[in-house]
Amino acid sequence: MTVRLAVLGAGRIGQVHAQAIGAVPGAELVAVADAVEAAAQDLCERRGGTVRTIEQIEQAQDVNAVIICTPTDTHADLIERFVKAGKAVFCEKPVDLDVARARQVVDAVAAADGTLMVGFQRRFDPDFRALKAAIDAGRIGRVEMITLTSRDPGAPPADYISRSGGIFRDMTIHDFDVARWLLGEEVETVMAQASVLTDPAIGELGDYDSVNVILRTASGSQCTITNTRRASYGYDQRIEVHGALGTVAAMNHREANIELATAEGFTRPPLLNFFMSRYTAAYAAEIAAFVDAVRTGAPTPTTGEDGVRSLELAEASLRSVQTGRAVRLDAMPQAGA
Amino acid sequence: MTVRLAVLGAGRIGQVHAQAIGAVPGAELVAVADAVEAAAQDLCERRGGTVRTIEQIEQAQDVNAVIICTPTDTHADLIERFVKAGKAVFCEKPVDLDVARARQVVDAVAAADGTLMVGFQRRFDPDFRALKAAIDAGRIGRVEMITLTSRDPGAPPADYISRSGGIFRDMTIHDFDVARWLLGEEVETVMAQASVLTDPAIGELGDYDSVNVILRTASGSQCTITNTRRASYGYDQRIEVHGALGTVAAMNHREANIELATAEGFTRPPLLNFFMSRYTAAYAAEIAAFVDAVRTGAPTPTTGEDGVRSLELAEASLRSVQTGRAVRLDAMPQAGA
Amino acid sequence: MTVRLAVLGAGRIGQVHAQAIGAVPGAELVAVADAVEAAAQDLCERRGGTVRTIEQIEQAQDVNAVIICTPTDTHADLIERFVKAGKAVFCEKPVDLDVARARQVVDAVAAADGTLMVGFQRRFDPDFRALKAAIDAGRIGRVEMITLTSRDPGAPPADYISRSGGIFRDMTIHDFDVARWLLGEEVETVMAQASVLTDPAIGELGDYDSVNVILRTASGSQCTITNTRRASYGYDQRIEVHGALGTVAAMNHREANIELATAEGFTRPPLLNFFMSRYTAAYAAEIAAFVDAVRTGAPTPTTGEDGVRSLELAEASLRSVQTGRAVRLDAMPQAGA
Amino acid sequence: MTVRLAVLGAGRIGQVHAQAIGAVPGAELVAVADAVEAAAQDLCERRGGTVRTIEQIEQAQDVNAVIICTPTDTHADLIERFVKAGKAVFCEKPVDLDVARARQVVDAVAAADGTLMVGFQRRFDPDFRALKAAIDAGRIGRVEMITLTSRDPGAPPADYISRSGGIFRDMTIHDFDVARWLLGEEVETVMAQASVLTDPAIGELGDYDSVNVILRTASGSQCTITNTRRASYGYDQRIEVHGALGTVAAMNHREANIELATAEGFTRPPLLNFFMSRYTAAYAAEIAAFVDAVRTGAPTPTTGEDGVRSLELAEASLRSVQTGRAVRLDAMPQAGA
């Protein structure tokens, strides 16, 4: 069976996914929708498929699955519509900025016995998978302490920040997902600190640019997350997992694998500067995994539930910053919603 | 002027300091005291000086300075006695496990216009000094986010843990001092998490073996500290300082600087496994700095105040763990004592 | 203008080039030929184009350029035929195992004003290009001493060795080309040593498996090349260029960018184990460069002359091994042929 | 038994050895001789012992062993005199610039059943010993191909070059010794190339500043040596040994173990810039090994024979450069002397 896909939203990430579809044997891009028709047209010309409206795709007999890359505030509704239409759905994170609404969507997907995969591409990065494989093979024993370091080269535009839900919901959310994936146990308590250090404008928007979070599970495992919106040397993405028998770490990717030695010292190039070049292989593997789940009927490797849980961690972090208290996840109102 | 020193306590660290004295031009070891006379005798034979009692050293005309390496519960009294006797004092951390008592001692030293240097050897490590020099030279701009990772190869004996004041006071205290040194600003708020992951016996003693701390200054700079009592690969001591213009990091020291490549991969030896071999150069530089301050009359590079402040951070961390709250340093009772 | 290509030879490297064509905007695979028709058919199904004979391609109006990936002993004739037919030619190295014959072909291409690019993919590796860019930017000053280290994971089959012309012509030839590229000056003298260390069967075929070469230019710059047919840890490909102001080095690529720390030490995965995975990006860039030259009419970045020169260095090395003498390139009979 | 030593020559290297004696338990510096008495006096004041003449030391009953650090042209005579006087002798390399004379001295030492250790400190470097231990433990299987890279930060003064015997005898000689130590087999054939690239003045003195050597043993193992007199980034000292099962490498030592990341990339400090700081530990271990051999009567770890063999390799290299031929060691006239 060929999996026939439609891409909703022909922007940056929609283009990445459309390209990924082309590289997956047994997958075919059949339709692209975008509010700006020219953008959809352009993508079809480069990657195949025909321009259609959301409605046409909803009713199409020749579409098995959709990839939602539209603005965040459309995610929840689109997921519900396409699951109801019997399509398997891949949706970029987050399901919704509001945890209660996101939970509602996930419940609806479950009730309809639908398929929903939420886009957390880091789980598909080849290095991070090798790190995870080492853990699963017992190389470091029981996981005890995780350190996640994520730094963006620069802050997104003010416009994006004002709609993103803030640093915990748009940036740290990826680390929350990685933490859950690696801890192998749900988080019980969250503590967080947040500052505005790189640009006062970010503070004026009610957001932060520099945060630290400590997650703690019931068994006492901990994970620290360090995020900043500015790193002069590129896009910094590191994982270190410490266990009873050892530690495994995934290192950064740099522009070129060379080193220059001069009187000033030994210099290697900066890191790749953009999340899309850093995670090129991860995005491709993520779509391949989605296609594979659709074809075989197996569960998707990430789910709507993963999307909700990471969102809850974002909300708990924000509450911890605001209250100066450790926040228990089971005391979050939405958890009971 | 030759600085003539006495070492009080001929144990492990006393021996290290006695050896360091021998390598400092213009310094001379003239006396050693120890409850076990044979230990003092043995040290004198190897490093010079004569065996004397505490009282004899107190009254000695030929002793300018003392190095206190006796058990922790004797520190406060000995500092007061020797400052009163007009000797410059170097004392291993902590001044006292109790912050109020430590503060009292520091006040007494100030009142007597005495000299007290507290032993935080990491500030004298050549790599850490090179890191600090890069910061001071403006290479990374304003310091924003610090990450300190300290892991011991294994836990100390139960006996030690029960007297040490716990992990925050005996282990993290070094990281607190490094944080204060590098932040260049006092800490305002502390958040901490703590677990028992490596050995339940540690929990039964009321202590923890795995902790994470977030420090925050008034200007919003933050520092995370990760400590564990067990690391299979050796004594792990890393500093990373992130600033507006870049990041500077100090790396670990390993047993040998070689790499083996086989079908299993590329392997480098474990880290140095013992704090004394890791910090050999730091201990020597620390004593040299003390001697230098005594000779020139300049302020010592670390002070009794540094000892008290780090102790306050330890106490605040413990309180944060116990209350699940961010603890403000200015709300600590002892801070006002 | 779209460059329309035919691939001659649908084996391993033919498949790599066919895939590369698909990724170059403005290039199209229109035909594949192979002695085994099923192989050609299979490649067309995956990458496009139709199965044709050599003769059909020679006469085709819709083919601008051919990529020759057939066995070595067919290269010389095919180049001559297709240049005569007015097609631009990309040919895998070597032009011919015999220098005189290779020189004849290159002369024929020149006489016909034809286009011939010889496949030395390393020049297109992104890391090596970054290294070359650093040199060209003057970062290390005048190039003085180059060290090339190339080790294969394992020896090719006996069958291949007996037809390949030996280690200097099938393996070192890539290093000769890299040396010429980086020295920026022709080689004047060659010294070489060769041994059979990994498998006596290689010696029985009259070949070597472990060689060292020293190249020297008229101005005194030198380049050493170390080759072995066996490396337990993967495919080892390193360049180091030492100059008046510094040194620049290109490092190896490994299976994953992770590190595991345990009581045994710090271990990173082995190197990529296969030249095609190591040089994936290089092969793609090489074909893109060929297409670009065909489209614009610009000279190809590598030429038939490059192929002949590297072959001469191989022959000179072999002679140096056999005679125990430094061999001058201008004293080689074929140089004057 | 305490080994009582005299140091002949109170220059740079004499001072290093005198300091090393002080750190060896059971060793005592009892006398120092130097043509400039003030230099000897100064050294005694810092390290102990009394100033004496060569003759006084020769006849002294309280001296077991001498360390010869005088100018090269005095080595041969002093070795003969002190061996005749019944003292164990440690002599800095070379025994003599002339192989025949050096061989004569070694024969004389053997005839007198004397003790002569020649100073090749690299064998005592802790990293190189760890590398050797890995080889001896069978970690890389049979040794096949060695790569030695030695680059000095800058050329010695013209004055030194004119008396040193040239780059092969004063610089490469250390690599020759390391090669012999690691190959575990004598060298059969030498090929070498040499250029003047850093300073024409060196060429005017009849010397070279940039050389490559290939050594080959009877069993076919090979070793390449790369030397240059100038490296902008410090004192470059690397060993890589490739074997049937893997490769082991010893890396460089740098000024500090830190890394700075900025928009320009990731920079680590230059290498230690001076052979004495790079090999501090090696010099100390070398003297300890000499004292140990004297005390126990065991053979010294390096011998006069080692000194002669390395000198022969230097001479063979020079001949190879001059003749453009591979030079067989057994065809060297002095080998039969």
Side-chain angles (χ1 to χ4, degrees), chain B residues 6-8 31-35 37 40 50-60 63 81-82:
Chain B
V7 167
L8 314 186
V32 176
D34 196 284
E37 200 184 311
T50 57
V51 178
R52 306 193 198 170
T53 63
I54 297 278
E55 291 69 28
Q56 288 170 333
I57 294 169
E58 205 175 351
Q59 292 154 20
V63 172
R81 276 173 70 175
F82 280 93

Side-chain angles (χ1 to χ4, degrees), chain D residues 1-3 26 88 115 288-301:
Chain D
M1 160 200 166
T2 294
V3 176
T115 294
F290 175 60
V291 167
D292 198 55
V294 174
R295 185 192 300 105
T296 63
T300 54

Side-chain angles (χ1 to χ4, degrees), chain D residues 194-209:
Chain D
S195 307
V196 179
L197 297 172
T198 73
D199 185 356
I202 292 175
E204 284 155 23
L205 292 165
D207 198 7
Y208 308 98
D209 55 23

